[in-house]
Each structure stands twice: as structure tokens, then as C-alpha cells.
Amino acid sequence: MLSSAPAIPKIHPVFATQPQTLSTLAEGDLDVEYKDGAFSIDPAISQQQPQQHQHKPGQQPSSGQQTPQQPPAHGWTVRALYDFEGQPEFSELSFAAGDVLTVVKVGLAEGWSLAEKDGVRGLVPEAYITYIHDFSISPDSHGGHTQQTSTTSAYSSYSTATATASTNPRNSVFGKRQLNRFSWFVTTGVEEFLLTGGAPSNKESNAAKHDQGLSTDSTTHRLSSANDLYEKSPPNSGNSLRRQQHPLGLVSSVRSHSGEKILEDSEDEDEVTESDRHYIQSGPSWQEKAPLFKVRVHDPETRRKMVGMQEYTLFQVTSAFTQGVSVTVERRYSQFEWLYERLANKFGALILPPLPEKQYAGRFSEEFIERRRRALERFLNRLVRHPVLRYSDLLTHFLSCSDDGDWKRAEKKFDNDRITGTAFFQHVYHPEFNVNEDGDIDLVERFDAHCKGSERLMPFLTDATMAYKEGISDSQFRYKRFGLALLNLISTTKDGLENQTLNDQLAWCWRENCADCIRLTKAMQTTAETMQLMADVHQSHITDGCQPWQDTIRDNATPSSTYAPLVDMHTGTHKKLVEVFEKEQTMEEIDSETVKSRCDTVFNITLAEMDRAHDERVQDFQKGTKEFLDSQIAYHEKMLAHLKQARTVFEEPNYKKLSDTPRFRSKYEKDLEDQRYQSQKPSRPVSAASVASVSNMVGGVVDGVGFMNGLLKTKTRSSAGRSLMGFWS
């Protein structure tokens, strides 16, 4: 899902030098002037109605010339979708998401309009705002039919459905839009798909039909906004599948989120690649089109460029396929960001796994790099596990391209991708009657309740997992400290007679050539070294057992928040379907069936995603719990094996043979100086006489304090009494 603000338009009105760049009105009718670092509007001109250019019969507007409708004198009311911090030196207006602004001039340059907020005027990027009043009615220059003009929003710039002369767009199913423009039902393009199917507006549809000599009467007008069903079967499938198609045999003109045309009316459907066709089978569930494979992110390396001025971390990404085939490429974190943004733009209706967040401080430490490596590996494997994303051209390119030139050329290709946003819904094929007529709304409500309940309970498991991991870490420290303390006892050779605890044979004894003590010392050294090995087992268990389980919990900790877009898309579509049923008697049959058909497509997509969420949850916890138990078994078995090995040293004849060879110092003696494992300096033993003297001293102090307290009270009472007696005398 897209969550970041769109890019700022590159063409800025302040730097525009040609009049036609500052306004989309024709030939000198500029009512906005940029002077002395500010924009001003001529009041006389701004009160006039915007000029509508009339064309003679048979004459078409010249290419490249547009005639956008300008706001009325009081302006258009819009709402901000994102925070925008404008630059005063460029006369830009700052605002926060949710603020209400008034647009007073549209199209000063590509992507910029002039707006007013709290009496201050400035430039605003059009992609950051949405129009609160989505529809306006204006005369149709072609034949007097009612024409509906839709204002572009930041989330969708597809045309709205056709409104005929007998239909009020605000009261019709096609014209009624959700008030909450920030809901996932709106931002994912579901609403736009239900209302328009990605079809062109009336004006564009009429122009296309006029070019081909087609009628533009009211019946044809309605048909141009509707989609019939036709049967199509995917490879190796006998299921009857449904797809949205133009009833007149034309492929509808579809616009991307930037407003750029991506499918022409006459474009052949065969130009859409197989990777952009997605099939849903009975269930509903996504049909697998490519075999599953594994991805490893490994061998991170910090590199420098620009004579060491810039550092970055490079990861090796290896895709392991069947029959031993593997492909390895090098990727930076910025390329992972590129992949996520393109996937979110193309597959807005699908739930993408989260990308690890950026970090600026400490990003080259070994601990952080390892944590990011694991997170990136989980991110890629979760993408690969998705039946649709697995065969996408974007992911294939990311995992296979090893040439910088090919990468840059592919970037341009994907930037101009035509099948994005709402167009995704147009290329989903599914069987007839794959979903109940009500969209299985009861199943969705149970799914939502399950996710909310699980998210409420997951913090308990998260805290318990963290506490267990900390307990293992603490146990590791204690084993290591115990082993070093034991080793320190039999290894000290510091200067000074009081520190000489070893004889010349390095035995823990004051006698020379003591066989008993050389055996004891070597056996105790084995025990101390075993404690170090057990500490290493703890560390291995943290890395191989605790950390993967913690990652599993983290990936599934917020199911309600993660899958909220699916629930919102489905419930919003269900409300639109209920609205259709309520108004079905007053609707044209083609309009009613069109909306039902589109709702059915959305239901199939959301339920297929919920089915995938179910399967992934089962796989995650089944695999995670099994691996955690395996790591527990291995952890305890290794611990027991080390303990048994140390115990056998004390058994005969092993113990007796220890005196046959000299003792060698332990490799762990280098850790004896580590302050983390040093005990506090023991206090001097306290004798009974000292304790008695201290007790007497403390008792005397307490008695003295008690005596002084009583004395002060007595003197106070005496002074007060004398004062009172003196007063009365």
C-alpha cells in the first residue's frame, strides 16, 4: 500500500517563462501574475466565467491544447491529503493533512495550482489535495446531453462514470462517493473501479466515438460506461473466467495515477503481458503460476566511494531455484526501497510485507547490519511466497539484473508501466459465482474479529518471548562468569607471596610434584572450560532458536493493522452492492449488472488475499514453533553432552591418568582480565570484637540523640510555661 506522499512536480510556476506555462487558458487571458516574489489575481478578470472554447462542427481541438474548467469566483474547496512544507521564497503554501483550502486558480504549471488558506495565497502541488465537491454539471458541446466532469484527486485520476440527462450523478449509484477520502476503499482505487471501471469520462468517450463514427445518444452513453462479461480460460484451466470488457468491442482508455493515458481505445489487449494477468480459482484463492523458490541475503559488505566520503552497505542476494539453479546479484538498501515503492504502486490492492525502516545513526555497526540482513531476507521471501508477486516483472528484474545499464533502462520501463493502480482490477480473471451474492460478508466479519482479538493478545506472547531470550542471555553470562571464576582459582600467578597459589608444575598446591593436585587441577580446568562451552551453546541458541522465533512473532504481531485495508475494501464494496440492490428498481439493468460484476471482482480479490493471509499464518506458526522446539532439543542435548563429557574426567581410569602428562594453561585465561566477569573486591573479615565496638558506638549515638531530643522538649515546655505565666502576671 502506498503510504508516502507523491513526488513534487518538477515544473515550477515561479521558474516558468512562457505565458502558456503559467496558465492553461488560451492566448493571453492570464489572470494570475507573478511579481515581486508573490502571485496576484486581477479581480476584474477573476470574476468572469472561464472561457469555453467552441469548435465548429467536424473540427477537433488541436493536440496538446487543453481547456480545463477554472473554479468559480469563490473558488473550489479542497482538502489536503498529505503534509506539505512550502518554501516561502518560491511562494509555496504550507499545510497539513486534513486542512481545508480554497483553490482559486488551476493549472499554473504542470501539477501546480494557486490556493488560499487563512487569507494567505500560495502554490500547492495538485497531487497533495483532493476536491471535496467531486462533480459539476456543464453543457455538453456535442449534443446537449448532461456531462459530468470529475476533478482529479491525488489517489486516482481516472474518469468518472457517464451521467445521462435523466440521471442526477449525485443521487445515482455511479455518482455517489464515500465521504471519507482517506479510507483504503478510496485510496486503493476500489471505489474508482466500481464507479468507472477505469473507463474514460464522457468527454473523452464522446470524442473517441465521434472519431469512429459512433452514436452518442443516451443509450450508447450509458453503454460506454458499462462493461459486459466474456468468458476466458487461463492456461491449463477449465474454469470459466470473468473479465471487464468494453461492450462495443473497444478497450477502454485508462489513465494512470499521474493522469497519463496508459491504454488507448484502439489498443490491442494482446499487448498486455501474461505477468499482468492474474487468475483466481475457486476458494477464492490465487492461482499459482510460478514455482516457489527461496532467497538468501548474505555476506554484507560496507563500501566507500567518492574518496571515502560516502559509505554504503552492499548485500549479496541469491535466489535458489529447483534442480540446483541459483542466481546471485548485489543490492543496496536503496534498491530494496525502489522495489517496494514500485510494487506498492502497481499492486495497491495487495498486502505487501513491510520493508525495514531506514536508520542513519549506527547503520554501519555489525549488530545493525546483521539485523537488517535478516529483515531484508524475510522481506524478499515473503514477497516470493505471494502467488501474484512471485511472477511479477518487477521482482524478477530485482532478483536477476546484474548490469547497471540494464537496471537503468528497466527503471524507465517500469516508470512508464501502464498496468498500475485501478488498472490492476481490470486484469483479474475469476470463475462465475465464485463468491456468494452478499460477498461472504459474514466470513469477512469473522476474519476482522479474529485479527483484532489476536492483535490484542499478541503483546503477551511478545513480552514472554523477550523475557525468555533475556533469560537465556543472562544464563549465558552466569555460565561464563562461573567458569572464569573457577579457572581463576587454579591459574593465578601474580607477583607477591600471597598470590602464589600454584607450584612449579602449575598444580593448585604448595607442594612440589604433587600427583593428587595435578590430577585435581586438570579436572577442575576441564570443568571450567566446559562452562565456557555451555555459554557458547547459549549464544548459539539465542541466534538459531530465539531470534527466528522472535522474528516470527514480530511479523505476525499486528494482524488487524496489517489486514485492515482488506476489510475496508471489502466492506466498502459491500455497502456499494447494498446500495445497488436498494436502487435496482430505478436503475438501468446494464448499470446494475455492471456494478454487481465489479463488486464481484473486488470480492474475489479481497477474499483471495484473506485466504493467503490464513495460509501464511498457518505456515509461519507451524514452521516457527517446530523450529523453536528443535532448537530447544538441540540446546539441551548439547548442554547435557558437555556436562557428561566433563563428568567422565573424574571417572577411573581417566582421572588417574591425568597425572601422567603435564598441565597446559587454558585458552580462556585471556578472558580473566575482562572486567565484566570480575567479582567485587571482597570486604575485610569482621571480628566479634569489632562488631561489639561498633554496636556500642551506634548505641551510644542513638542514646545521645534520644537524650538531646528529651532535653529540647523539656526546655521548650519550660520556656512556653514561663512565657504564659509572665503574660498573666
Side-chain angles (χ1 to χ4, degrees):
M1 300 292 174
L2 287 177
S3 58
S4 59
I8 303 297
K10 296 181 179 179
I11 302 178
H12 199 285
V14 172
F15 303 110
T17 57
Q18 300 298 328
Q20 59 268 29
T21 306
L22 290 175
S23 175
T24 53
L25 292 178
E27 300 177 6
D29 287 335
L30 293 179
D31 54 2
V32 178
E33 180 183 7
Y34 180 74
K35 185 177 181 182
D36 298 329
F39 285 90
S40 60
I41 298 180
D42 187 340
I45 300 178
S46 63
Q47 296 297 327
Q48 300 175 4
Q49 294 295 328
Q51 180 179 356
Q52 301 292 334
H53 297 277
Q54 303 293 332
H55 301 282
K56 297 179 181 180
Q59 180 182 357
Q60 299 300 323
S62 60
S63 59
Q65 187 180 26
Q66 301 177 352
T67 58
Q69 182 177 356
Q70 292 299 320
H74 55 79
W76 273 333
T77 303
V78 300
R79 188 180 298 277
L81 294 170
Y82 309 97
D83 294 338
F84 178 70
E85 186 174 352
Q87 301 184 33
E89 60 270 24
F90 297 144
S91 295
E92 296 174 353
L93 187 63
S94 298
F95 50 82
D99 286 353
V100 176
L101 297 79
T102 302
V103 171
V104 296
K105 188 67 179 177
V106 178
L108 294 180
E110 182 181 348
W112 292 92
S113 291
L114 186 64
E116 182 176 312
K117 176 178 175 289
D118 299 331
V120 180
R121 284 179 175 173
L123 297 169
V124 297
E126 293 172 354
Y128 280 61
I129 59 176
T130 184
Y131 288 79
I132 296 177
H133 302 290
D134 287 314
F135 299 98
S136 62
I137 307 300
S138 61
D140 190 334
S141 59
H142 287 283
H145 302 296
T146 302
Q147 174 179 311
Q148 174 180 301
T149 304
S150 173
T151 306
T152 304
S153 73
Y155 293 114
S156 176
S157 53
Y158 300 97
S159 308
T160 56
T162 303
T164 64
S166 60
T167 305
N168 185 342
R170 287 191 178 278
N171 297 326
S172 69
V173 173
F174 286 115
K176 188 174 181 181
R177 293 184 176 240
Q178 192 177 100
L179 294 177
N180 181 12
R181 309 308 295 166
F182 299 94
S183 68
W184 291 106
F185 174 70
V186 176
T187 60
T188 55
V190 173
E191 181 189 59
E192 198 70 35
F193 171 69
L194 296 181
L195 298 183
T196 72
S201 65
N202 291 355
K203 188 173 182 179
E204 293 172 336
S205 185
N206 286 344
K209 293 176 184 179
H210 185 83
D211 290 341
Q212 302 185 33
L214 300 177
S215 171
T216 57
D217 59 21
S218 60
T219 302
T220 307
H221 235 171
R222 287 193 296 272
L223 288 175
S224 70
S225 67
N227 291 317
D228 266 347
L229 309 177
Y230 83 106
E231 304 300 324
K232 178 180 175 69
S233 297
N236 305 321
S237 173
N239 291 334
S240 175
L241 299 177
R242 173 183 295 177
R243 178 189 177 274
Q244 305 293 342
Q245 188 191 33
H246 200 293
L248 301 178
L250 302 175
V251 178
S252 300
S253 173
V254 182
R255 295 183 179 274
S256 68
H257 283 285
S258 62
E260 181 179 317
K261 228 178 225 188
I262 56 178
L263 278 181
E264 296 295 339
D265 292 332
S266 60
E267 186 172 358
D268 191 352
E269 171 67 14
D270 292 338
E271 294 185 16
V272 179
T273 63
E274 184 61 28
S275 63
D276 283 324
R277 294 188 177 98
H278 315 294
Y279 303 102
I280 295 177
Q281 56 195 4
S282 60
S285 61
W286 293 108
Q287 179 175 307
E288 303 274 349
K289 291 174 60 177
L292 189 63
F293 58 94
K294 294 291 185 181
V295 182
R296 284 195 312 118
V297 179
H298 55 96
D299 297 332
E301 179 185 354
T302 300
R303 294 186 181 180
R304 295 172 176 83
K305 65 179 183 179
M306 298 177 60
V307 198
M309 297 291 292
Q310 183 177 355
E311 287 184 306
Y312 61 93
T313 302
L314 204 62
F315 298 92
Q316 303 294 318
V317 179
T318 298
S319 304
F321 302 93
T322 56
Q323 300 179 348
V325 178
S326 63
V327 178
T328 301
V329 293
E330 295 180 341
R331 292 290 178 261
R332 297 177 57 176
Y333 177 79
S334 58
Q335 292 172 302
F336 282 89
E337 283 187 307
W338 176 88
L339 173 65
Y340 180 83
E341 291 172 357
R342 295 304 185 281
L343 288 174
N345 183 49
K346 186 174 181 66
F347 302 103
L350 305 183
I351 303 298
L352 301 182
L355 180 69
E357 295 182 353
K358 273 188 174 182
Q359 179 171 320
Y360 296 97
R363 59 193 178 102
F364 296 111
S365 65
E366 292 185 6
E367 181 182 358
F368 172 76
I369 292 177
E370 172 59 21
R371 187 166 63 250
R372 169 168 284 184
R373 182 201 66 78
R374 292 198 316 269
L376 292 175
E377 184 173 278
R378 294 200 312 276
F379 168 73
L380 288 179
N381 278 295
R382 293 182 80 85
L383 288 180
V384 168
R385 192 165 57 170
H386 195 293
V388 173
L389 302 178
R390 187 187 312 156
Y391 58 78
S392 68
D393 291 339
L394 279 164
L395 186 59
T396 302
H397 165 71
F398 178 87
L399 295 175
S400 61
C401 182
S402 58
D403 182 77
D404 291 341
D406 292 342
W407 179 276
K408 293 179 180 178
R409 285 188 289 271
E411 275 189 330
K412 296 180 180 179
K413 167 193 168 184
F414 291 122
D415 286 342
N416 296 322
D417 190 1
R418 305 170 305 171
I419 313 301
T420 60
T422 306
F424 169 79
F425 298 94
Q426 297 176 324
H427 299 281
V428 174
Y429 306 82
H430 57 85
E432 295 276 6
F433 312 112
N434 202 29
V435 179
N436 291 337
E437 191 175 25
D438 64 349
D440 288 330
I441 190 64
D442 292 340
L443 178 65
V444 176
E445 290 174 350
R446 293 198 302 271
F447 171 80
D448 186 32
H450 172 83
C451 290
K452 289 179 178 177
S454 299
E455 185 164 329
R456 187 173 61 255
L457 298 174
M458 283 299 291
F460 296 99
L461 181 58
T462 301
D463 293 344
T465 300
M466 181 63 70
Y468 174 80
K469 180 181 176 183
E470 292 174 351
I472 296 295
S473 180
D474 185 63
S475 180
Q476 175 202 12
F477 175 82
R478 294 178 184 278
Y479 270 103
K480 192 171 185 64
R481 181 181 176 183
F482 174 77
L484 290 177
L486 183 59
L487 186 62
N488 186 53
L489 178 65
I490 60 175
S491 302
T492 301
T493 56
K494 294 182 179 180
D495 296 336
L497 185 61
E498 68 277 9
N499 294 322
Q500 296 298 323
T501 60
L502 304 181
N503 61 17
D504 292 341
Q505 290 78 39
L506 300 181
W508 185 47
C509 187
W510 63 92
R511 293 179 179 179
E512 296 296 336
N513 301 318
C514 179
D516 290 338
C517 288
I518 194 67
R519 286 192 288 266
L520 176 61
T521 303
K522 292 177 70 174
M524 291 176 64
Q525 179 174 326
T526 300
T527 302
E529 291 175 345
T530 299
M531 297 298 105
Q532 306 305 305
L533 294 176
M534 294 174 72
D536 294 339
V537 172
H538 280 70
Q539 180 58 49
S540 177
H541 180 54
I542 291 174
T543 304
D544 301 334
C546 298
Q547 191 60 57
W549 173 252
Q550 191 174 17
D551 292 339
T552 299
I553 299 302
R554 183 183 296 109
D555 291 341
N556 293 273
T558 56
S560 180
S561 303
T562 300
Y563 297 111
L566 289 181
V567 176
D568 191 54
M569 286 188 288
H570 197 100
T571 54
T573 304
H574 181 261
K575 291 177 182 178
K576 182 61 66 175
L577 183 64
V578 171
E579 186 181 345
V580 171
F581 284 132
E582 291 175 349
K583 297 185 178 182
E584 194 168 14
Q585 300 300 325
T586 61
M587 293 177 61
E588 295 287 344
E589 181 179 359
I590 184 65
D591 291 345
S592 172
E593 291 303 317
T594 295
V595 179
K596 289 180 182 179
S597 171
R598 294 171 186 167
C599 289
D600 194 37
T601 297
V602 176
F603 289 152
N604 272 270
I605 293 173
T606 54
L607 290 173
E609 280 292 275
M610 292 177 193
D611 177 78
R612 181 183 66 85
H614 171 272
D615 291 347
E616 289 189 358
R617 179 182 60 86
V618 172
Q619 294 169 12
D620 284 346
F621 279 92
Q622 180 184 11
K623 178 174 179 289
T625 307
K626 178 184 175 183
E627 290 180 348
F628 179 74
L629 290 174
D630 289 342
S631 69
Q632 285 281 318
I633 295 172
Y635 161 68
H636 289 289
E637 285 180 344
K638 290 178 181 178
M639 294 281 287
L640 185 60
H642 286 309
L643 291 172
K644 287 183 176 180
Q645 183 66 29
R647 179 65 177 79
T648 58
V649 175
F650 288 88
E651 298 292 338
E652 297 295 348
N654 298 329
Y655 187 75
K656 188 174 181 180
K657 292 180 180 180
L658 292 176
S659 59
D660 296 343
T661 56
R663 179 202 172 191
F664 297 97
R665 289 192 174 276
S666 173
K667 63 179 181 180
Y668 296 105
E669 287 188 18
K670 58 182 176 56
D671 297 330
L672 293 176
E673 301 300 325
D674 194 331
Q675 296 298 319
R676 293 176 300 170
Y677 307 105
Q678 293 293 325
S679 300
Q680 296 295 327
K681 184 177 180 180
S683 58
R684 178 179 297 178
V686 181
S687 63
S690 300
V691 172
S693 62
V694 171
S695 177
N696 292 334
M697 181 180 66
V698 172
V701 171
V702 172
D703 293 342
V705 172
F707 171 76
M708 291 298 296
N709 187 32
L711 178 62
L712 290 174
K713 288 181 179 179
T714 302
K715 293 183 70 65
T716 302
R717 287 195 294 268
S718 301
S719 300
R722 286 195 299 268
S723 299
L724 289 174
M725 294 299 293
F727 173 77
W728 289 107
S729 61

